[in-house]
């Protein structure tokens, strides 16, 4: 479930200062209001900053400063890192799109917003967050995607989740509103806490709002199923944004200009049979990270008991089975514990979860 709705789901409009911004629209709006574009920009920035501050402030008040607490989204990722300790209070982040800079390819959104709602708004102007992997992930919230580091199924083309996140507004263990990053890369200085908080499962801070980098929506997008070599596809097919493999079958997502996608499909059909399909296969709920180079050894025998689907070239395996735990070097454990102690000395954030 998402949290309270701040600003609605259609761009987060606040009075005359809309959340969706592009140069042409800015000029028309400034002329209609009888002010300069610079004055309009300043008024919008002030309105959006106030909207974010209000949403984060309300969330901070709900989190409070005492007792174990954890943020919840749609519930699809709630078992990652282990179950919460009994008695942990659950809070939901606010929902709503605050600001969309169309020309700068950025969007600021509160953490309780579902990915499907964000994608619907971005698709209207030919953009995407790239965070929806399959139908099951559509109702995942933005905060959940960032907290778990789940970057959809297109990491092969788009890069990891941490590359999407430009800024985070959050609530710390003392119940205070905190911020990291900025609206653009050039505005960021100091330690890159966004990368640290992304994938931390809500054990360091509870995410309230996020500024994401968006991407142009490719004009032609299709999933195909083939028996061609998945490792060659990932290495050689430039428009392959995702290559999935379950040991025998291969699913490839092609995305790009019409001519490039057609050429790639022709190349694949020359190697093996290909069939267009509605989407990716159903994925097991669990995730396992491995060295991408080691995945090629699974051609002979996968070290898992149950079904699995691997993201070739990425090193992520979707499975409900578990490999024997890999020993963690003591220095890594010490560093992890030191970071946790600095951010959450009383272990009140998501107790029971382990990153």
């Amino acid at each position: 479930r998402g949290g309270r709705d701040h600003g609605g789901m259609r761009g987060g409009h606040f009075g005359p200062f809309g959340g969706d911004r592009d140069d042409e629209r800015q000029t028309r709006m400034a002329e209609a209001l009888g002010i300069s574009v610079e004055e309009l920009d300043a008024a919008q920035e002030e309105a959006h900053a106030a909207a974010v501050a209000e949403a984060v402030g309300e969330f901070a008040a709900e989190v409070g400063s005492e007792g174990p607490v954890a943020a919840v989204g749609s519930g699809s990722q709630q078992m990652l890192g282990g179950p919460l300790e009994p008695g942990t209070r659950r809070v939901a982040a606010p929902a709503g799109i605050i600001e969309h800079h169309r020309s700068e390819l950025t969007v600021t959104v509160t953490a309780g917003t579902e990915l499907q709602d964000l994608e619907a708004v971005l698709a209207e102007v030919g953009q995407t967050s790239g965070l929806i992997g399959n139908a099951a992930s559509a109702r995942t919230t933005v905060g959940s995607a960032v907290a778990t580091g789940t970057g959809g199924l297109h990491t092969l083309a788009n890069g990891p989740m941490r590359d999407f996140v430009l800024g985070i507004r959050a609530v710390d263990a003392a119940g205070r509103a905190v911020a990291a990053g900025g609206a653009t890369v050039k505005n960021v200085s100091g330690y890159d806490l966004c990368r640290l908080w992304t994938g931390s499962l809500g054990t360091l801070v509870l995410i309230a709002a996020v500024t994401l980098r968006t991407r142009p929506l490719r004009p032609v997008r299709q999933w195909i199923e083939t028996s061609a070599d998945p490792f060659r596809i990932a290495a050689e097919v430039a428009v392959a944004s995702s290559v999935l493999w379950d040991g025998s079958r291969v699913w490839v997502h092609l995305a790009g200009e019409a001519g490039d996608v057609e050429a790639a499909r022709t190349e694949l059909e020359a190697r093996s049979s290909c069939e267009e399909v509605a989407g990716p296969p159903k994925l097991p709920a669990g995730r396992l990270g491995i060295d991408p180079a080691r995945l090629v050894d699974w051609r002979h025998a996968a070290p898992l008991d149950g079904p699995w689907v691997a993201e070739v070239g990425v090193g992520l395996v979707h499975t409900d089975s578990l490999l024997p735990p890999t020993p963690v070097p003591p220095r890594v454990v010490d560093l992890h514990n030191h970071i946790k102690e600095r951010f959450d000395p009383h272990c009140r954030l998501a107790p029971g979860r382990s990153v």
Side-chain angles (χ1 to χ4, degrees), residues 6-8 11-19 47-48 51-52 54 97-99:
H6 280 261
H13 299 292
F14 298 90
F17 308 115
H48 298 145
V52 173
E54 179 185 2
I97 297 175
I98 302 295
E99 182 179 24

Side-chain angles (χ1 to χ4, degrees), residues 5-224:
D5 185 3
H6 280 261
M9 291 309 307
R10 300 309 250 175
H13 299 292
F14 298 90
F17 308 115
D20 181 16
R21 297 169 64 177
D22 65 81
D23 294 340
E24 183 178 346
R25 185 174 184 273
Q26 291 292 94
T27 300
R28 293 198 308 269
M29 186 179 295
E31 291 176 350
L33 294 171
I35 59 177
S36 68
V37 172
E38 290 74 16
E39 289 173 321
L40 177 60
D41 284 339
Q44 286 179 321
E45 292 294 343
E46 184 177 350
H48 298 145
V52 173
E54 179 185 2
V56 176
E58 289 184 9
F59 186 49
E62 187 173 356
V63 171
S65 60
E66 297 180 355
V69 63
V72 295
S74 64
S76 61
Q77 312 271 3
Q78 61 183 343
M79 294 307 293
L80 282 180
L84 295 170
E85 290 183 359
T88 301
R89 185 165 51 90
R90 291 163 169 79
V91 295
I97 297 175
I98 302 295
E99 182 179 24
H100 178 204
H101 276 282
R102 187 188 309 183
S103 60
E104 295 183 12
L105 296 176
T106 65
V107 62
T108 298
V109 57
T110 42
T113 308
E114 292 184 354
L115 292 180
Q116 62 183 357
D117 294 326
L118 173 60
E119 284 297 303
V121 171
L122 295 178
E124 291 181 356
V125 293
Q127 295 182 10
T128 178
S129 70
L131 299 182
I132 293 184
N134 54 13
S137 67
R139 298 206 62 185
T140 298
T141 63
V142 172
S144 176
V146 175
T148 60
T150 306
L153 290 180
H154 306 286
T155 303
L156 181 64
N158 296 339
M161 180 70 199
R162 288 180 172 87
D163 291 349
F164 288 78
V165 181
L166 297 176
I168 293 179
R169 300 291 293 269
V171 179
D172 69 7
R176 300 170 300 193
V178 294
T184 61
V185 174
K186 64 184 179 182
N187 289 341
V188 178
S189 61
Y191 293 110
D192 191 353
L193 293 179
C194 290
R195 287 183 173 267
L196 179 64
W197 293 346
T198 300
S200 64
L201 301 181
T203 61
L204 301 180
V205 293
L206 302 185
I207 297 173
V210 182
T211 298
L212 298 170
R213 186 197 314 274
T214 65
R215 285 170 168 75
L217 194 60
R218 302 304 180 188
V220 177
R221 305 175 300 280
Q222 60 181 238
W223 280 97
I224 63 171

